[in-house]
Amino acid sequence: MPSELSPIDKAKFVAARKATEYVKSGMKVGLGSGSTAAWLVQCLGELVRDEGLRMKGVPTSSRTARLAREVGIEVISLDEAKWLDVSIDGTDEYDGNLNLIKGGGGSHLQEKIVATASDRMIVIADVTKKVETLGAFPLPLEVIPFGWQTTKTLIEETLIGMDVLGQTTTLRMNGDAPYISDEGNHILDLHLNRIGNPRQLSLMLNQIPGVVENGLFIDICDIVIVGHGDGLVEVHDINQDQVEKTKFDFLDDGNLFSEDM
Ligand code: 5RP
């Protein structure tokens, strides 16, 4: 029930709810991963069940695929869809140019492929995800298990020449074992604190043998929809100077109504 949510979950929920306005009947939609994207999938499921929205979803993780099926969304693969009208996903950080760090949930490889295969990418975020400069959140790198320690050394050597403030690299764990992504790979988290030149870093990291994909999304996101705990939603569109604002109000019965500002 939305009215019983914590302020952070209200912020995620209203951002997700606003994003559903960009999904029209007949569309093929990339479905992101993580807790904010889970709200989106639930909101879309409600529209499919109750409002007759016809859409097909391409999930970016096994978790999202499971949830989408549970809520009644028709799930297809990216190869079946070939190209998507829009993809909607969460983020770990976004900056003023709408560049992102993603992969906190370990799904950035599929997320980046899906977002890049979409007419536009919409990011949904609570207000805490906004940063001046990317890098406070550790940058995830998906690496193949074969020779991952050698890959890690090559990454650390590459970081020495880059405009970053930290160079610690850690293998993501799941309990006592290395975390395994949906593609069967490991994740290295790069604790960089500040990334001076995200575009250059992204290009350099992806050239290292063994690195499959990094979590920097440069020039991929078109719109960031930012939710606040009081129901305020801001839409930052890379092609518009003005920020659009909407206020959602939580009613006692758990329903929402919105008012453009
Ligand atoms: C998963 C992601 C998520 O979008 C990111 O971690 C944000 O998650 P949340 O919405 O739970 O804060 O990139 O790989």
Side-chain angles (χ1 to χ4, degrees):
M1 197 78 127
S3 53
E4 294 161 6
L5 297 174
S6 67
I8 202 86
D9 278 330
K10 280 186 177 169
K12 292 178 181 189
F13 175 74
V14 290
R17 176 64 193 270
K18 179 72 183 171
T20 62
E21 294 175 13
Y22 292 81
V23 179
K24 309 292 178 209
S25 253
M27 281 190 170
K28 292 181 279 189
V29 181
L31 303 172
S33 299
S35 58
T36 320
W39 280 117
L40 170 85
V41 173
Q42 299 200 25
C43 290
L44 288 175
E46 215 171 286
L47 292 173
V48 167
R49 291 193 310 272
D50 302 343
E51 312 278 337
L53 174 71
R54 288 179 302 104
M55 59 156 286
K56 293 178 182 175
V58 173
T60 53
S61 64
S62 48
R63 269 167 305 147
T64 298
R66 228 176 1 255
L67 178 62
R69 288 196 180 96
E70 269 168 29
V71 300
I73 295 174
E74 184 183 345
V75 168
I76 59 170
S77 69
L78 182 58
D79 285 334
E80 286 171 297
K82 296 192 173 57
W83 194 259
L84 304 174
D85 297 285
V86 62
S87 69
I88 306 173
D89 202 347
T91 193
D92 296 303
E93 285 185 354
Y94 71 93
D95 70 11
N97 296 318
L98 309 194
N99 290 326
L100 319 170
I101 286 184
K102 284 184 52 54
S107 307
H108 64 275
L109 172 58
Q110 291 189 16
E111 291 168 344
K112 202 186 262 193
I113 296 171
V114 166
T116 306
S118 305
D119 280 346
R120 59 180 168 176
M121 180 196 196
I122 299 175
V123 158
I124 46 179
D126 63 79
V127 67
T128 64
K129 306 291 179 70
K130 170 87 208 283
V131 294
E132 281 303 313
T133 307
L134 296 173
F137 193 90
L139 175 65
L141 244 64
E142 182 149 344
V143 298
I144 64 166
F146 176 83
W148 72 266
Q149 297 193 44
T150 303
T151 306
K152 180 172 180 284
T153 304
L154 288 171
I155 292 164
E156 285 163 353
E157 281 173 4
T158 302
L159 289 177
I160 291 170
M162 305 301 300
D163 184 6
V164 292
L165 266 189
Q167 290 163 9
T168 314
T169 305
T170 52
L171 178 67
R172 194 177 297 183
M173 302 297 286
N174 183 11
D176 290 339
Y179 174 89
I180 305 288
S181 74
D182 275 344
E183 300 301 322
N185 295 316
H186 292 337
I187 303 279
L188 292 174
D189 287 306
L190 275 49
H191 302 262
L192 307 175
N193 300 322
R194 181 182 183 283
I195 301 173
N197 189 336
R199 186 184 308 276
Q200 185 191 35
L201 181 65
S202 177
L203 290 172
M204 293 295 285
L205 291 173
N206 278 11
Q207 285 187 16
I208 299 171
V211 172
V212 184
E213 191 52 83
N214 72 79
L216 284 164
F217 284 48
I218 310 295
D219 294 340
I220 295 177
C221 172
D222 300 288
I223 294 175
V224 175
I225 301 180
V226 189
H228 296 253
D230 63 355
L232 178 69
V233 172
E234 294 164 344
V235 178
H236 300 260
D237 185 328
I238 199 83
N239 295 312
Q240 315 235 317
D241 295 337
Q242 294 270 4
V243 176
E244 178 199 324
K245 293 187 183 180
T246 310
K247 179 83 186 337
F248 285 89
D249 276 317
F250 293 86
L251 304 176
D252 289 342
D253 62 4
N255 285 323
L256 280 183
F257 76 88
S258 69
E259 195 182 299
D260 287 340
M261 297 172 70

